[in-house]
Amino acid sequence: MSLDEMGLAATQLVGADTPGCGPLRGARQASSASLRQRIYEQVRSAGRISRAALAKELEVSPGSVTPLVSDLIATHLLRELEDETQHTGRGRPPVTLGVNPDRGLVAGLKVSDHEFSALLVDLAGHPVAQATLLRAAESRSVADLLRDVAMLYDRLMTAAGPGAPPVLGVGLGMPGMIDHASGRMRWSPIVAERDVDLQGLVSAQLGLPVSVDNDANLLTMAELWFGKGRSLSDFAVVTIEYGVGLGLVVDHAPYRGAHGLGMELGHTKVQLDGALCRCGQRGCLEAYVADFALVREAPIALDGALPPRGEVLATLYAQAKDGNEAARAIFDRAGRYLTLGIANVANLFDPRRIILSGSRMRYDFLYARELLEEVAGLTLNTPPPIEVNAWDDFVWARGAAALALSDLTPRLMA
Ligand SMILES: [Zn+2]
């Protein structure tokens, strides 16, 4: 298939002057980070900020900020900007600091069972180029995956055009059990092999430092770096795609568990000896809410007239909308189980906000207002605000870019 046939397959984006990126945590930063790194991160999250405001935000003296800022400018990580918005008309406009976007780029890549997406952003978080690639249905091996990732990356760099700053890091996300710390893919529903050194293989393929994570954590990173979670210290993201995922942010940082494999909301049990799940166990939340659970019940509601695989869910949804009671009942039951899962998250973690995200959110029966109101009856205290987020298709790639920026920062400071 040619690029033209695929429509918007690769696009160069015009940089917008976004108001910074990354968690807005002020003086509350990881104590292990150096003051130099905290200054860089503070400037990046503010977008542009004066030296005086920077010292105030970090709760340190202006005298300790000045030499470190000079060093960050000398090493081309920060730059000075004339702030026209504060200009009173006389003399030179006041000078603010910003991240130098030309120092380098990072690439965010999202791999799924049907479409791969990629986004290139500069070090200030501005999108520079994007690309997509349709995956061949028969490709199931790690070798195929590596070939497709290389093709997607080439397409992205072609979209960026010649003369683009160097790419300094890559973030890659995919569904399954992906251990960010070790870089290993323990298991993924879209690849046949198990326990693969995903980070090492992709890094060798692209010749760049690579960070890997699961897709629920990518959405969480997108919220934390670019979305509504930037100013929230503690929040949860519940995702519904092939399964049910959970991302948790604790004190402005993603929580990943002791082995990088936690947050398996989809496999928490909501029924003893319940329905069989893909994982082989019974009674998992996913066995009542995920695609496969809805598709499994579709034949009854559709009276045996099954559409081609891949269209079952959409057909079931259309029927439910048209008043097919049995189809409606399938979505209602899934929605009630989802409500149970959301209430459990609220009871366990007391987050400031729960954000529902993912492509399945278009099936609005799953999160109908009446269902979300039921959460209050299942939690001990007033539940947190629940929000449904409608990002575009590049949200995962954007989260992968945030992952790359986050892991690149300490290396930039070295
Ligand atoms: Zn399960």
Side-chain angles (χ1 to χ4, degrees), residues 50 81-88 92-96:
S50 71
L81 306 155
E82 289 190 345
D83 193 349
E84 294 293 345
T85 59
Q86 301 292 317
H87 196 195
T88 51
R92 200 179 161 219
V95 171
T96 55

Side-chain angles (χ1 to χ4, degrees), residues 169-172 183 198-200 202-204 206-212 407 411:
V170 175
L172 174 87
L198 183 67
Q199 181 176 2
V202 177
S203 182
L206 301 180
L208 289 164
V210 172
S211 304
V212 298
D407 287 353
R411 294 203 304 274

Side-chain angles (χ1 to χ4, degrees), residues 331-350:
F331 280 100
D332 280 351
R333 189 170 81 135
R336 295 197 67 205
Y337 273 101
L338 179 63
T339 302
L340 200 57
I342 292 167
N344 288 345
V345 169
N347 277 328
L348 282 169
F349 301 115
D350 179 28

Side-chain angles (χ1 to χ4, degrees), residues 266-267 269 277-279 281 284:
H267 302 282
K269 307 301 182 269
C277 180
R278 285 187 308 183
C279 71
Q281 299 182 345
C284 299

Side-chain angles (χ1 to χ4, degrees), residues 5 7 22 29 43 54 56 129 153 160 162 193 197 200-201 234 239 258 280 305 311 343 345 347 394 399 403:
E5 284 171 298
Q29 298 223 11
V43 173
L54 185 58
K56 203 173 161 204
Y153 184 76
E193 292 99 319
D197 178 14
L201 290 171
D234 303 88
T239 66
E311 291 170 30
V345 169
N347 277 328
F394 281 88
L403 179 72

